[in-house]
Every structure is written in structure tokens, then in C-alpha cells.
Amino acid sequence: MKFWKRRGPVPELGHSIRDYQALVRLKLKAMPHERALALAQSIGAPTLEDFMAQGDGHVAVLRHHGLENGMAIYDLGCGCGRTAQALQRSGWQGHYTGADVVPELLAEIARTCPDYRTVLNYERTISANDESLDIVFHWSLFTHLFPGESYLYLLDAYRALKPGGKMIFSFLELEDRAHDHVWQAGLRKLRNGERPEQLDAFLHRDWITRFARDAGFSTARFTNGDDDAHHPPFWQSLAILAKG
Ligand SMILES: C[S@@+](CC[C@H](N)C(=O)[O-])C[C@H]1O[C@@H](n2cnc3c(N)ncnc32)[C@H](O)[C@@H]1O
């Protein structure tokens, strides 16, 4: 099956697409002369220094889990290029595709990383041919989607990965006390009748294991985000799924 063949009606823009487009446009309007900072803040980095340090951390995670030069990698929900810019800074050589649902974020990657490919994709699919990618990764994306949406992405990532390829992603879990502040903030908003900026979603390792098994992945491994200090700590948990 080719990824671009759509069947059925054109889907509605989903909740996370509407919410992120609104958030990015609000930030840009509030800070018209600080575009890079407005975009960084809309994906959760308070300062440009944080944005760069976090991106360097992302690259260290990817290298620890097998990133090499020459690979074809896919950054799902890539934002404005926190990881892309860090990959470029690190001197990594390979084929990068960043996919997102907000045109303004993708435009920033096109501006800062002109050799990288960007894709605007509103469907829960991976815009790549079958068995064409070495790594599909995403940070803080399943944290904003319903479990069914995450599963659809996982299923299509399996299709697009080469045999031996990996899907690497971060997620929030209730069992980890370090993630509790997100849970508590959500409860506070519910109690106060406030509308959250976006959905904050938690997953369980058992659910991810089931998703991975149903999709066909041979293994699903998890870390609390620091991989025994092999890279700077990632504040969310990490899942590493392998296509056998
Ligand atoms: C918290 S930000 C993380 C950005 C990037 N992964 C990073 O760590 O720098 C979440 C990103 O997911 C994107 N997003 C939201 N809904 C999405 C969807 N349904 N499919 C793909 N990306 C989505 C947002 O536009 C945003 O760029």
C-alpha cells in the first residue's frame, strides 16, 4: 500500500491539530518580533537556551538507541525543529523528514534546516513509503493524543520502517512521580472549569506493549528517560519498539 492513497471522506481536523494551530498563532501574535522564541515556547521550551539544550539531549537519546550517519529518520510531530536543529548542529549526515500539523512550525524548520524535508500531514499516517525508514521518533506527541490516535500512528510506523528499524518515543505514565505535576495540573483545571490549552494524555507500558504486539513489532522496551545516564535525562519515559 502506498501512503498517499486515501480512501473515504476527508477527515475533520482533529482536536490536537486545532489546539496546536491556535496555540502557535496566539504566541506569534503576542511576540511578533521574537518569532523563534514564540515558536519555541509554543512547543514547551521557555527560552532559546532550553530549546537548544533539550534538542542536544534528543540527539543523544537517538544516538544511544542506534542513530548513525546515512540513516533515513522521521520526526513525527517535529514542531519548529528542536531536534532537527540539534541534528544539524551535531554534524549528523542522513535523510531527515519532519512531519507536523502546524504550517508555521514547519516553515521554521525549512528556514533553519534547508536540507531537511518537511511534511504537513493531518492524517494519522507516516508520509513515507513501505520499509523506507530506519527510525521513526517523536517527543511529547502521544502525550497529546487519544490512545486510538497513538495506535494508528504506531501501526503506520511499523509499515514505514525497514526490517530492523526502530520506533522511539516519549510518553507520560501515571506510575512515575516525576510526571505527577501534569496530572495534578489537569485535575486543577477540571475542578476550576478551565479549558486546557491541549489534551495531556497518559499511557501505560502494558498498553504500549499491546499496541506494539498487535502492530507486529518484535520487542517493546522502556526506560524512565535516563537510560542509566547514557544521555541527559529526558523528563518523560521512553519506549523503544523494534521491527524484527
Ligand atoms: C509538545 S510539541 C513537541 C514538538 C517536538 N516533538 C519537540 O519535542 O520539539 C507537540 C507537537 O506535536 C504536534 N502535533 C499535534 N497534534 C499532532 C498530530 N495529530 N499529528 C502530528 N503532530 C501533531 C504539534 O503541532 C507540536 O509540534
Side-chain angles (χ1 to χ4, degrees):
M1 185 184 76
K2 296 285 188 201
F3 66 86
W4 56 82
K5 279 192 184 160
R6 187 217 307 275
R7 296 193 192 87
V10 177
E12 281 286 296
L13 285 191
H15 63 104
S16 65
I17 302 171
R18 288 192 307 267
D19 289 350
Y20 263 96
Q21 289 188 347
L23 180 64
V24 168
R25 285 162 197 171
L26 202 70
K27 288 277 181 198
L28 285 172
K29 204 168 161 196
M31 303 166 67
H33 304 300
E34 292 172 284
R35 193 174 178 83
L37 182 59
L39 294 172
Q41 289 190 350
S42 70
I43 59 154
T47 68
L48 289 176
E49 289 72 30
D50 291 320
F51 179 82
M52 287 174 69
Q54 290 159 355
D56 293 341
H58 297 171
V59 174
V61 171
L62 290 173
R63 288 214 185 272
H64 178 62
H65 289 291
L67 175 69
E68 290 174 6
N69 284 345
M71 284 185 162
I73 65 174
Y74 191 97
D75 184 356
L76 177 60
C78 58
C80 55
R82 185 160 36 189
T83 314
Q85 292 177 35
L87 282 164
Q88 187 175 253
R89 269 198 309 279
S90 77
W92 172 78
Q93 299 283 321
H95 307 281
Y96 170 97
T97 300
D100 206 280
V101 294
V102 183
E104 291 89 336
L105 294 175
L106 292 170
E108 183 68 358
I109 298 191
R111 185 183 75 79
T112 53
C113 305
D115 294 336
Y116 289 173
R117 174 176 174 252
T118 55
V119 180
L120 180 69
N121 182 12
Y122 293 138
E123 298 183 45
R124 279 108 192 144
T125 56
I126 304 296
S127 298
N129 286 327
D130 296 357
E131 301 194 352
S132 61
L133 298 171
D134 294 286
I135 298 177
V136 174
F137 66 91
H138 49 91
W139 320 124
S140 302
L141 173 63
F142 284 5
T143 54
H144 301 298
L145 301 184
F146 293 118
E149 300 178 284
S150 297
Y151 177 65
L152 290 180
Y153 269 135
L154 197 143
L155 205 54
D156 207 43
Y158 182 87
R159 173 195 62 74
L161 281 169
K162 298 175 186 174
K166 286 183 183 166
M167 185 178 200
I168 302 167
F169 63 89
S170 71
F171 65 104
L172 292 168
E173 50 185 343
L174 277 179
E175 289 76 3
D176 193 323
R177 300 307 292 176
H179 308 167
D180 200 50
H181 66 280
V182 181
W183 176 248
Q184 296 301 337
L187 290 180
R188 249 190 328 273
K189 286 197 168 148
L190 280 175
R191 287 193 183 107
N192 295 340
E194 292 169 34
R195 188 185 184 282
E197 274 176 350
Q198 72 261 321
L199 173 74
D200 286 319
F202 288 71
L203 281 173
H204 193 286
R205 293 181 187 207
D206 287 352
W207 292 17
I208 297 172
T209 302
R210 155 129 197 219
F211 292 171
R213 190 179 57 237
D214 287 359
F217 286 96
S218 52
T219 57
R221 290 192 298 116
F222 301 96
T223 86
N224 68 355
D226 73 1
D227 281 309
D228 296 323
H230 279 102
H231 52 71
F234 199 111
W235 78 274
Q236 297 173 4
S237 299
L238 296 171
I240 303 98
L241 316 185
K243 178 168 174 173

